[in-house]
Structure formats: structure tokens, C-alpha cells
Amino acid sequence: MLHVADYGGKEADVVKALEEDIIFGRLAPGTRLVEDVLLGRFPVSRHTIRQALYQLEKLGVVTRERNKGAMVRRLSPDEVRQIYEVRELLQRQAALMIPLPASDALIAELMEIHRVYSAHVDAHYLRGIHEANDRFHLTMFSACGNDYLVSSIDHYMRLSLPVRANSLADPQKLEVSRQHHWFWVLAQLCVDHLQPSKMFYLEAIEKAGDGV
């Protein structure tokens, strides 16, 4: 998976700042990212700016066109529908592959991430909300055990960043997201709660030799 932390020093700072501007709607889709303007904003070399734009292009949030330069990715309605169709397929498959009942370690990790996420929501800390939200979903889907599948989910999550941006700044939508996180953990706990009785009954049947 590709993350901002994979890059070095000043380049990472530029990538993180521009990615944040895009995520939170401060740079609208279609906005041109002019190198000279960025040089005036960031105390770095032109090479660093170009490398940062290249990394943002790899993340899928920036596009570059011949004779036009770099700009914030603008998704057409068809592109949005297609990206979300793929996200739905990938995430549904990953969810189906998560072993049940979920492990105590997974539940505990998700509950801790949810706690951090909720604290950021209460504090209106947008960067923290974004990072904790992605960490929650990727941690959950990682339980499917297929790194390639999780990497694909990560990729399409990033492609949909411009679409998800308005949700991060909307208190009502954030509250829905917070509830969805908790409902998933609660659902897993409910599944866990059922297991002891079921296993006890099945073991009793096997010992009795009924085979029913």
C-alpha cells in the first residue's frame, strides 16, 4: 500500500498538505496545481514539488495532462459510479472472508481505533478523523487475510477521496459514520456471544454419538 509516510522529508510534507487540501475541499476538483504558485507556498525545490505532484498522481487524487500540467482530479458521474461499484465488490468480498467469530485482538484494536476516531469527531479535528476512519476500515478488512485484496481496497478508497471530502466536514454525516463503526464492532461481539452455547451443544451431540 502507498502512504504519505512512504516518502521522505519535505516531499512528504508537501504531499500531506496538498492531500489534506483536496480531502477537505479547500482545493476543488479541477483546480490547477501550478508549480510556481506551490513554490511560493512551500520552501522547497522545484524538483520536490514535481515529485510531490507525481506521488499525488499515484495516489489518484491528482491528474496531469499534456500542456495543462497538474490539477485536482475531477470525477465524472460515471467514474464515481464505477469506482464505487468496484469498492462495493472488493469490500463485500473482504468482509465475507473475515473469519467469524472475530478474534479478541481484532475487536480490541477496532474499538481502540473507534475511540480515537470519536475523540477526533468531538474535537472537530479533520485530519485525525480522516486518518482514523481509513485505519478503522483497513484494519477491519485486513482480517480477511489477503494483502492484495486489502491493497486494492486502499487504492479505491483513495480514488474516492474527492467524493468523500464533504462527509468529513459535515457533523451529521460524521455521526452516521461513527454509528456505523460501532455497529460493526457490536455485530461481531453479538456473533461472539452466540458461539459458546452453539459449541457446547455441538460437542454434547458429538459425545452422545447422535450425529444429528
Side-chain angles (χ1 to χ4, degrees):
M1 299 176 205
L2 188 65
H3 299 288
V4 171
D6 295 334
Y7 328 132
K10 294 180 179 180
E11 181 184 327
D13 293 339
V14 176
V15 171
K16 184 173 182 179
L18 292 177
E19 182 191 37
E20 192 168 289
D21 285 346
I22 294 169
I23 292 169
F24 304 133
R26 294 192 287 264
L27 287 174
T31 300
R32 289 191 61 207
L33 300 172
V34 181
E35 289 183 10
D36 288 340
V37 174
L38 296 177
L39 284 169
R41 175 180 174 184
F42 300 103
V44 298
S45 68
R46 188 175 297 273
H47 172 75
T48 299
I49 292 293
R50 289 177 176 173
Q51 284 299 112
L53 292 175
Y54 171 69
Q55 298 300 346
L56 287 166
E57 184 180 20
K58 289 177 69 176
L59 289 173
V61 296
V62 164
T63 59
R64 289 196 287 185
E65 298 181 22
R66 189 178 182 86
N67 299 323
K68 289 186 178 181
M71 65 182 65
V72 178
R73 186 183 183 95
R74 185 197 299 275
L75 296 171
S76 69
D78 279 345
E79 286 178 311
V80 172
R81 281 190 286 269
Q82 290 176 26
I83 287 171
Y84 272 81
E85 284 173 356
V86 176
R87 281 193 68 188
E88 290 163 13
L89 288 170
L90 294 171
Q91 294 183 189
R92 182 182 294 112
Q93 183 59 35
L96 290 171
M97 292 169 62
I98 297 174
L100 296 178
S103 69
D104 291 342
L106 175 61
I107 293 293
E109 186 175 6
L110 288 172
M111 290 183 71
E112 173 58 20
I113 296 172
H114 178 68
R115 183 193 67 77
V116 172
Y117 176 82
S118 292
H120 290 326
V121 170
D122 291 337
H124 307 292
Y125 176 37
L126 295 182
R127 164 57 66 173
I129 291 169
H130 164 63
E131 292 180 347
N133 181 64
D134 280 6
R135 188 160 66 252
F136 182 94
H137 288 101
L138 291 174
T139 298
M140 178 179 71
F141 292 127
S142 291
C144 77
N146 187 317
D147 291 341
Y148 293 96
L149 179 54
V150 177
S151 181
S152 296
I153 290 172
D154 185 34
H155 174 66
Y156 278 89
M157 283 173 60
R158 290 186 175 277
L159 284 181
S160 63
L161 277 177
V163 182
R164 298 157 56 197
N166 63 344
S167 297
L168 292 170
D170 186 313
Q172 290 183 326
K173 292 176 182 176
L174 281 175
E175 189 56 38
V176 170
S177 176
R178 172 155 52 180
Q179 291 175 9
H180 285 176
H181 286 181
W182 175 243
F183 288 158
W184 190 90
V185 176
L186 181 62
Q188 296 307 309
L189 290 173
C190 288
V191 169
D192 289 350
H193 178 69
L194 295 174
Q195 301 310 305
S197 297
K198 181 186 73 174
M199 296 307 298
F200 179 80
Y201 184 80
L202 292 175
E203 288 173 3
I205 290 177
E206 290 177 1
K207 287 179 180 179
D210 293 340
V212 179

